[in-house]
Coordinates of all heavy atoms in Angstrom, one line a residue:
N1 N -48.6 -31.5 -23.2 CA -47.1 -31.4 -23.7 C -47.1 -31.4 -25.2 O -46.3 -30.6 -25.8 CB -46.4 -32.5 -23.1 CG -46.1 -32.3 -21.6 OD1 -46.3 -31.3 -21.1 ND2 -45.4 -33.3 -21.0
E2 N -48.0 -32.3 -25.9 CA -47.7 -32.4 -27.3 C -48.3 -31.2 -27.9 O -47.6 -30.6 -28.9 CB -48.7 -33.5 -27.8 CG -48.6 -33.7 -29.4 CD -49.5 -34.9 -29.8 OE1 -50.0 -35.6 -28.9 OE2 -49.8 -35.0 -31.0
I3 N -49.3 -30.6 -27.4 CA -49.7 -29.3 -28.0 C -48.8 -28.1 -27.8 O -48.4 -27.4 -28.8 CB -51.2 -28.9 -27.4 CG1 -52.2 -29.9 -27.9 CG2 -51.5 -27.4 -27.9 CD1 -53.5 -29.6 -27.3
M4 N -48.3 -27.9 -26.7 CA -47.4 -27.0 -26.3 C -46.1 -27.0 -27.0 O -45.3 -26.0 -27.3 CB -47.2 -26.7 -24.8 CG -48.6 -26.4 -24.2 SD -48.5 -25.7 -22.3 CE -47.5 -24.2 -22.6
Q5 N -45.6 -28.3 -27.2 CA -44.2 -28.6 -27.7 C -44.1 -28.0 -29.1 O -43.1 -27.6 -29.6 CB -44.0 -30.0 -27.8 CG -42.5 -30.4 -27.9 CD -41.6 -30.0 -26.6 OE1 -42.1 -30.1 -25.6 NE2 -40.4 -29.3 -27.0
R6 N -45.2 -27.8 -29.7 CA -45.3 -27.3 -31.2 C -44.8 -25.8 -31.2 O -44.4 -25.2 -32.2 CB -46.7 -27.3 -31.8 CG -47.3 -28.6 -31.8 CD -48.7 -28.6 -32.3 NE -49.6 -29.7 -32.2 CZ -50.9 -29.8 -32.2 NH1 -51.6 -28.6 -32.4 NH2 -51.5 -30.9 -31.8
F7 N -44.8 -25.1 -30.0 CA -44.5 -23.7 -29.9 C -43.2 -23.5 -29.3 O -42.7 -22.3 -29.3 CB -45.6 -22.9 -29.1 CG -46.9 -22.9 -29.6 CD1 -47.8 -24.1 -29.5 CD2 -47.4 -21.8 -30.3 CE1 -49.0 -24.0 -30.2 CE2 -48.6 -21.7 -30.9 CZ -49.5 -22.8 -30.8
T8 N -42.4 -24.6 -29.1 CA -41.0 -24.4 -28.6 C -40.0 -24.1 -29.7 O -40.3 -24.1 -30.9 CB -40.6 -25.6 -27.8 OG1 -40.7 -26.8 -28.8 CG2 -41.4 -25.9 -26.6
A9 N -38.8 -23.7 -29.3 CA -37.8 -23.4 -30.3 C -37.2 -24.6 -31.0 O -37.5 -25.8 -30.5 CB -36.6 -22.6 -29.6
A10 N -36.5 -24.5 -32.2 CA -36.0 -25.5 -32.8 C -34.8 -26.2 -32.1 O -34.2 -25.6 -31.2 CB -35.6 -25.1 -34.3
A11 N -34.5 -27.4 -32.5 CA -33.6 -28.1 -31.9 C -32.2 -27.4 -31.9 O -31.2 -27.8 -31.1 CB -33.4 -29.6 -32.3
D12 N -31.8 -26.7 -33.0 CA -30.6 -26.1 -33.0 C -30.6 -24.6 -32.6 O -29.6 -23.9 -32.7 CB -30.1 -26.0 -34.6 CG -31.1 -25.3 -35.4 OD1 -32.3 -25.0 -35.0 OD2 -30.8 -25.0 -36.6
D13 N -31.6 -24.2 -31.9 CA -31.7 -22.8 -31.3 C -30.7 -22.8 -30.1 O -30.7 -23.6 -29.3 CB -33.1 -22.6 -30.9 CG -33.2 -21.2 -30.4 OD1 -32.6 -20.5 -29.6 OD2 -34.1 -20.4 -31.1
P14 N -29.8 -21.7 -30.2 CA -28.9 -21.7 -29.0 C -29.4 -21.5 -27.6 O -28.7 -21.7 -26.6 CB -28.0 -20.5 -29.4 CG -28.8 -19.7 -30.4 CD -29.7 -20.7 -31.1
R15 N -30.7 -21.0 -27.7 CA -31.3 -20.8 -26.3 C -32.0 -22.1 -25.9 O -33.2 -22.4 -26.2 CB -32.3 -19.8 -26.4 CG -31.9 -18.3 -26.9 CD -32.9 -17.4 -27.3 NE -33.6 -18.0 -28.5 CZ -34.7 -17.4 -29.0 NH1 -35.1 -16.2 -28.7 NH2 -35.1 -18.1 -30.2
G16 N -31.1 -23.0 -25.3 CA -31.6 -24.4 -25.1 C -32.8 -24.4 -24.2 O -33.7 -25.3 -24.3
Y17 N -33.0 -23.5 -23.3 CA -34.1 -23.5 -22.4 C -35.4 -23.3 -23.1 O -36.5 -23.5 -22.6 CB -34.0 -22.3 -21.4 CG -33.6 -21.0 -21.9 CD1 -34.7 -20.2 -22.2 CD2 -32.3 -20.6 -22.0 CE1 -34.4 -18.9 -22.7 CE2 -32.1 -19.4 -22.6 CZ -33.2 -18.5 -22.8 OH -32.8 -17.3 -23.4
L18 N -35.4 -22.7 -24.5 CA -36.6 -22.5 -25.2 C -37.0 -23.7 -26.0 O -38.1 -23.8 -26.7 CB -36.6 -21.3 -26.0 CG -36.5 -20.0 -25.3 CD1 -36.6 -18.9 -26.4 CD2 -37.7 -19.8 -24.4
Q19 N -36.2 -24.8 -25.8 CA -36.5 -26.0 -26.6 C -37.4 -27.0 -25.9 O -37.8 -28.0 -26.5 CB -35.2 -26.8 -26.9 CG -34.3 -26.0 -27.9 CD -32.8 -26.6 -28.0 OE1 -32.8 -27.9 -27.7 NE2 -31.9 -26.0 -28.5
Q20 N -37.9 -26.6 -24.8 CA -38.8 -27.3 -24.0 C -39.8 -26.5 -23.3 O -39.7 -25.3 -23.2 CB -38.0 -28.1 -22.9 CG -37.1 -27.3 -22.0 CD -36.1 -28.0 -21.2 OE1 -36.1 -29.2 -21.1 NE2 -35.1 -27.3 -20.7
I21 N -40.8 -27.0 -22.7 CA -41.7 -26.3 -22.0 C -41.1 -25.8 -20.7 O -40.5 -26.5 -20.0 CB -42.9 -27.2 -21.7 CG1 -43.7 -27.6 -23.0 CG2 -44.0 -26.5 -20.7 CD1 -44.7 -28.7 -22.8
I22 N -41.4 -24.6 -20.3 CA -40.9 -24.0 -19.2 C -41.9 -23.6 -18.2 O -43.0 -23.5 -18.5 CB -40.0 -22.9 -19.5 CG1 -40.8 -21.7 -20.3 CG2 -38.7 -23.2 -20.3 CD1 -39.9 -20.5 -20.7
Y23 N -41.5 -23.4 -17.0 CA -42.5 -23.1 -15.9 C -42.2 -21.9 -15.2 O -41.0 -21.7 -14.8 CB -42.6 -24.3 -14.9 CG -43.1 -25.5 -15.6 CD1 -42.1 -26.4 -16.2 CD2 -44.5 -25.8 -15.7 CE1 -42.6 -27.5 -16.8 CE2 -44.9 -27.0 -16.3 CZ -43.9 -27.9 -17.0 OH -44.3 -29.0 -17.6
L24 N -43.2 -21.0 -15.0 CA -42.9 -19.7 -14.3 C -44.3 -19.1 -13.7 O -45.2 -19.2 -14.4 CB -42.4 -18.6 -15.2 CG -41.9 -17.3 -14.6 CD1 -40.8 -17.4 -13.7 CD2 -41.6 -16.3 -15.8
D25 N -44.2 -18.8 -12.4 CA -45.4 -18.1 -11.8 C -46.6 -19.0 -11.8 O -47.8 -18.5 -12.1 CB -45.7 -16.7 -12.4 CG -44.5 -15.9 -12.2 OD1 -43.7 -16.1 -11.2 OD2 -44.3 -14.9 -13.0
G26 N -46.4 -20.3 -11.8 CA -47.6 -21.2 -11.9 C -48.2 -21.5 -13.2 O -49.2 -22.0 -13.3
K27 N -47.3 -21.2 -14.2 CA -47.8 -21.3 -15.6 C -46.9 -22.2 -16.4 O -45.6 -22.2 -16.1 CB -47.9 -20.0 -16.4 CG -49.0 -19.0 -15.9 CD -48.9 -17.7 -16.6 CE -50.1 -16.8 -16.2 NZ -50.2 -16.5 -14.8
A28 N -47.4 -23.1 -17.3 CA -46.6 -23.8 -18.2 C -46.5 -23.0 -19.5 O -47.6 -22.4 -20.0 CB -47.3 -25.0 -18.5
I29 N -45.3 -22.7 -20.0 CA -45.1 -21.7 -21.1 C -44.2 -22.4 -22.2 O -43.2 -23.2 -21.9 CB -44.4 -20.5 -20.6 CG1 -45.1 -19.9 -19.5 CG2 -44.1 -19.5 -21.7 CD1 -44.3 -19.0 -18.5
A30 N -44.5 -22.2 -23.4 CA -43.7 -22.7 -24.6 C -43.6 -21.3 -25.5 O -44.6 -20.7 -25.9 CB -44.5 -23.9 -25.3
S31 N -42.3 -21.2 -25.9 CA -42.1 -20.2 -26.8 C -40.9 -20.4 -27.7 O -39.9 -21.1 -27.3 CB -41.8 -18.9 -26.1 OG -41.5 -17.7 -26.8
N32 N -40.7 -19.8 -28.8 CA -39.7 -19.7 -29.7 C -38.9 -18.3 -29.8 O -38.0 -18.2 -30.6 CB -39.8 -20.4 -30.9 CG -40.8 -19.5 -32.0 OD1 -41.2 -18.4 -31.5 ND2 -41.1 -19.9 -33.1
G33 N -39.5 -17.4 -29.1 CA -39.0 -16.1 -29.1 C -39.9 -15.1 -30.0 O -39.8 -13.9 -29.8
H34 N -40.8 -15.7 -30.8 CA -41.6 -14.9 -31.7 C -43.1 -15.2 -31.4 O -43.9 -14.3 -31.5 CB -41.4 -15.3 -33.1 CG -40.0 -15.0 -33.6 ND1 -39.6 -13.8 -33.9 CD2 -38.9 -15.8 -33.9 CE1 -38.4 -13.8 -34.4 NE2 -38.0 -14.9 -34.3
I35 N -43.4 -16.5 -30.9 CA -44.8 -16.9 -30.5 C -44.7 -17.5 -29.1 O -43.7 -18.2 -28.9 CB -45.4 -17.6 -31.5 CG1 -46.8 -17.9 -31.2 CG2 -44.6 -19.0 -31.6 CD1 -47.6 -18.5 -32.4
M36 N -45.6 -17.3 -28.3 CA -45.7 -17.9 -26.9 C -47.1 -18.3 -26.6 O -48.0 -17.6 -26.9 CB -45.1 -16.8 -26.0 CG -45.1 -17.4 -24.5 SD -44.1 -16.3 -23.4 CE -45.4 -15.0 -23.2
I37 N -47.2 -19.4 -25.9 CA -48.4 -19.9 -25.5 C -48.3 -20.4 -24.0 O -47.1 -20.7 -23.5 CB -48.9 -21.2 -26.4 CG1 -50.2 -21.6 -26.0 CG2 -47.9 -22.2 -26.2 CD1 -50.9 -22.6 -26.8
W38 N -49.3 -20.2 -23.2 CA -49.1 -20.6 -21.8 C -50.5 -21.1 -21.2 O -51.6 -20.9 -21.8 CB -48.6 -19.4 -21.0 CG -49.5 -18.3 -20.9 CD1 -50.6 -17.9 -20.0 CD2 -49.5 -17.2 -21.8 NE1 -51.2 -16.8 -20.3 CE2 -50.5 -16.2 -21.3 CE3 -48.7 -16.7 -22.8 CZ2 -50.7 -15.0 -22.0 CZ3 -48.9 -15.6 -23.4 CH2 -49.8 -14.7 -22.9
M39 N -50.5 -21.7 -20.1 CA -51.6 -22.1 -19.4 C -51.4 -22.1 -18.0 O -50.3 -22.3 -17.4 CB -52.2 -23.6 -19.9 CG -51.1 -24.6 -19.5 SD -51.8 -26.3 -19.9 CE -53.0 -26.4 -18.4
D40 N -52.5 -21.9 -17.3 CA -52.4 -21.9 -15.8 C -52.4 -23.1 -15.1 O -52.7 -24.1 -15.7 CB -53.5 -20.8 -15.1 CG -53.3 -19.4 -15.5 OD1 -52.2 -18.9 -15.5 OD2 -54.3 -18.7 -15.8
G41 N -52.1 -23.1 -13.7 CA -52.3 -24.3 -13.0 C -51.2 -25.4 -13.3 O -51.6 -26.5 -13.3
A42 N -49.9 -25.0 -13.4 CA -48.9 -26.0 -13.8 C -47.8 -26.1 -12.8 O -46.7 -26.3 -13.1 CB -48.2 -25.5 -15.1
G43 N -48.2 -26.0 -11.5 CA -47.1 -26.2 -10.5 C -46.5 -25.0 -10.0 O -46.8 -23.8 -10.4
T44 N -45.7 -25.2 -8.9 CA -45.0 -23.9 -8.3 C -43.5 -23.9 -8.5 O -42.8 -23.0 -8.1 CB -45.3 -24.1 -6.7 OG1 -44.9 -25.3 -6.3 CG2 -46.8 -23.9 -6.6
N45 N -42.9 -24.9 -9.1 CA -41.5 -24.8 -9.4 C -41.0 -24.2 -10.6 O -41.4 -24.6 -11.7 CB -40.9 -26.4 -9.4 CG -41.0 -27.0 -8.0 OD1 -40.9 -26.4 -7.0 ND2 -41.4 -28.4 -8.0
D46 N -40.4 -23.0 -10.4 CA -40.1 -22.3 -11.6 C -38.8 -22.8 -12.3 O -37.9 -23.3 -11.7 CB -39.7 -20.8 -11.3 CG -41.0 -19.9 -10.9 OD1 -42.1 -20.6 -11.1 OD2 -40.9 -18.9 -10.4
S47 N -38.8 -22.7 -13.8 CA -37.6 -23.2 -14.4 C -36.5 -22.2 -14.2 O -36.7 -21.1 -13.9 CB -38.0 -23.3 -16.0 OG -39.0 -24.0 -16.2
D48 N -35.3 -22.6 -14.4 CA -34.0 -21.9 -14.3 C -33.8 -21.1 -15.6 O -33.5 -21.7 -16.6 CB -32.9 -22.8 -14.0 CG -31.6 -21.9 -13.8 OD1 -31.6 -20.7 -13.5 OD2 -30.5 -22.6 -13.8

């Protein structure tokens, strides 16, 4: 979480869902819209 959190969007970004680690297709993903990092094996529940 600490490593991936560095790649999330700033606290004032209107896209609130990018301010935290998100999950999709079994991956944990962090992005601010310009850079994105992910890793496999992060569960099956996708973020909204």
